[in-house]
Amino acid sequence: MKPYSTIVQTNGSFNNQDKEEVFFTVKLVKSGLADMLWQLSLLYRIGQLCDYTYVHTPLAYEKRYELNFQGKIIKKIETTVNKLLKTDKYSDKLSNFLGFDNWEQNISDREFTNCKIIPIPIDEIYHENKISNIEQLKESVKKFIAEVTPSSKKVIYCLTFRPQLYEGRRAFRLDELLNSADPEGITLKALKLQLSKNYHKARQNKPVHIPFKPQTVKIVIHLRKGDRMLVNLNKKLIGVFSSQVKVFESINDLDEWEINNYSNSNDTNKADTLLQKIFSKYGKENFSVIVMSDGYERTFQNIRHAIFKGEIKLSEEEKTQLNNIERTPNKEFEVFSKYSNVYTIVGESEKNTFESIHAIVCADIIIKTTGGFAWVLHSLFKRQDRSSSVVQLGQNDDLAIEKIGLCLANNIAIPKNS
């Protein structure tokens, strides 16, 4: 069989008379939701470039909450039970919430039960062949497939990523390469449409209440905090990035990447200042705003874990400082309580996660800090016939206010004195 000479059919069947349809699925590096969806978009585009048809395999997400002692015990029990039952309760719940159970073709469908799953290590192929253009990528993938394809015609190619995907910005270079071949995201459009359709179908069956008012411009401000935080202990800085904890003697020890990717309370102040400017220019009554953040619980859980494992050393005085700081960090979000039209979602409970996702999907304007949680979810799951904007907080307030004004003009008549 020569899968690279095939053309995608629309009937989803192996019984094609003229051309043979070739199927692919994906296996991702287990991570957070937005990161895995981004990986899915990369592999989906590669499969589409090769004219293959996507078959959905359930994704296993990294659970991001229940970090206290009791939560960790519960998580260990759940993990053990899930391994025995070969299920993932949280992933199933989140997948169903996103509408993934409504996918047109699933790996569990009867027509795929006898298929041989053949792994195709995309990041390995991409890296070892030193690929610099899209044709090289397609040729390398097809060459690998031709060498591993058995005589059986019932095959599903599993495009896979490994943790090495994130070494040396490999993932970002692959994304840039795919964008260069398809700058308008044409090959990704089908994925977006499917995700959006399935998500909103799921919301019809299981609605989520969020405090957006009708006939207003709906703004989401996403402040990423807990997994990329700098804690100032006077004489030194503790940096928490994902599960990594590092000690810096001063701000001068941070390189440019670290300075740009660690969050701090200034983001909250910047968001408050931007809201004041927006309300002053266009009128507070024209907006509904949800400010969301993971908060700081994970920051201090990771620091204490690193101390316990001996990965970092703090003096008793520094530990006391750390305990005092831990009591108050989430109070910074109280700055938004002065606005009657601003609602906050802080913390990583399951309820907060689902409300946050739905708010992001429904927003007209996304104002984000670092990370891809907000813009990835908004891009893939929003209604595709709705215009919206994503704004980087602190990058250019004047441009952000202009974008918001355009959105307002398209939805609500702006007062003449604005």
Side-chain angles (χ1 to χ4, degrees), residues 38-39 41-43 45-46 126 134 137 161 165 169-183 188 375-376:
W38 183 52
Q39 293 179 50
S41 77
L42 294 177
L43 292 175
R45 281 181 279 176
I46 292 170
Y126 171 71
I134 205 71
L137 177 62
F161 280 146
L165 174 72
R169 295 181 58 82
R170 195 180 303 176
F172 298 99
R173 290 201 301 271
L174 179 56
D175 187 44
E176 290 171 356
L177 179 64
L178 292 167
N179 288 338
S180 70
D182 186 20
L188 186 58
W375 71 263
V376 169

Side-chain angles (χ1 to χ4, degrees), residues 206-266:
K206 187 174 289 187
V208 175
H209 173 72
I210 50 176
F212 276 147
K213 293 182 180 178
Q215 307 305 316
T216 61
V217 170
K218 301 164 183 63
I219 298 177
V220 160
I221 300 176
H222 178 236
L223 303 174
R224 184 171 180 175
K225 297 287 184 178
D227 68 340
R228 42 181 66 191
M229 173 65 183
L230 282 175
V231 179
N232 192 338
L233 295 182
N234 295 330
K235 294 183 179 180
K236 63 178 62 172
L237 295 168
I238 301 178
V240 177
F241 193 90
S242 187
S243 59
Q244 296 180 339
V245 180
K246 296 170 67 174
V247 174
F248 305 98
E249 295 303 321
S250 73
I251 195 74
N252 296 326
D253 290 345
L254 278 71
D255 61 29
E256 183 179 356
W257 185 91
E258 288 170 325
I259 290 172
N260 291 331
N261 283 279
Y262 280 114
S263 178
N264 56 58
S265 59
N266 289 338

Side-chain angles (χ1 to χ4, degrees), residues 97-113:
F97 177 81
L98 294 173
F100 281 178
D101 53 331
N102 295 323
W103 210 278
E104 289 178 1
Q105 296 187 110
N106 285 275
I107 198 72
S108 58
D109 292 347
R110 182 180 299 176
E111 65 180 302
F112 302 122
T113 53

Side-chain angles (χ1 to χ4, degrees), residues 34-221:
D35 189 60
M36 293 187 74
L37 287 170
W38 183 52
Q39 293 179 50
L40 171 60
S41 77
L42 294 177
L43 292 175
Y44 181 88
R45 281 181 279 176
I46 292 170
Q48 290 286 284
L49 285 169
C50 294
D51 287 335
Y52 300 162
T53 299
Y54 179 65
V55 177
H56 183 67
T57 296
L59 309 182
Y61 306 107
E62 184 68 30
K63 200 167 186 177
R64 285 299 191 83
Y65 49 84
E66 294 187 338
L67 291 171
N68 57 26
F69 179 76
Q70 182 181 4
K72 287 183 178 180
I73 296 297
I74 292 172
K75 185 175 180 179
K76 286 184 178 179
I77 294 172
E78 284 183 350
T79 301
T80 302
V81 172
N82 290 339
K83 285 181 178 179
L84 291 173
L85 298 178
K86 295 183 179 180
T87 63
D88 186 336
K89 183 178 179 182
Y90 173 68
S91 291
D92 288 345
K93 187 181 293 186
L94 186 53
S95 289
N96 292 343
F97 177 81
L98 294 173
F100 281 178
D101 53 331
N102 295 323
W103 210 278
E104 289 178 1
Q105 296 187 110
N106 285 275
I107 198 72
S108 58
D109 292 347
R110 182 180 299 176
E111 65 180 302
F112 302 122
T113 53
N114 295 321
C115 287
K116 181 177 177 63
I117 308 295
I118 300 180
I120 311 297
I122 294 296
D123 64 289
E124 183 179 331
I125 294 170
Y126 171 71
H127 179 66
E128 292 185 357
N129 289 278
K130 298 180 180 179
I131 291 165
S132 60
N133 62 63
I134 205 71
E135 288 304 317
Q136 287 180 351
L137 177 62
K138 289 171 66 175
E139 288 173 7
S140 296
V141 171
K142 290 173 181 178
K143 180 181 177 183
F144 187 95
I145 285 175
E147 292 173 351
V148 298
T149 298
S151 57
S152 169
K153 293 184 178 181
K154 289 195 173 184
V155 167
I156 297 180
Y157 298 110
C158 183
L159 309 188
T160 67
F161 280 146
R162 306 167 302 159
Q164 290 88 335
L165 174 72
Y166 293 103
E167 292 180 358
R169 295 181 58 82
R170 195 180 303 176
F172 298 99
R173 290 201 301 271
L174 179 56
D175 187 44
E176 290 171 356
L177 179 64
L178 292 167
N179 288 338
S180 70
D182 186 20
E184 296 182 2
I186 295 170
T187 56
L188 186 58
K189 188 174 182 181
L191 175 65
K192 287 185 176 183
L193 291 172
Q194 183 88 352
L195 288 169
S196 177
K197 180 186 73 174
N198 288 347
Y199 178 82
H200 291 284
K201 183 178 179 181
R203 292 292 67 73
Q204 290 175 359
N205 298 328
K206 187 174 289 187
V208 175
H209 173 72
I210 50 176
F212 276 147
K213 293 182 180 178
Q215 307 305 316
T216 61
V217 170
K218 301 164 183 63
I219 298 177
V220 160
I221 300 176

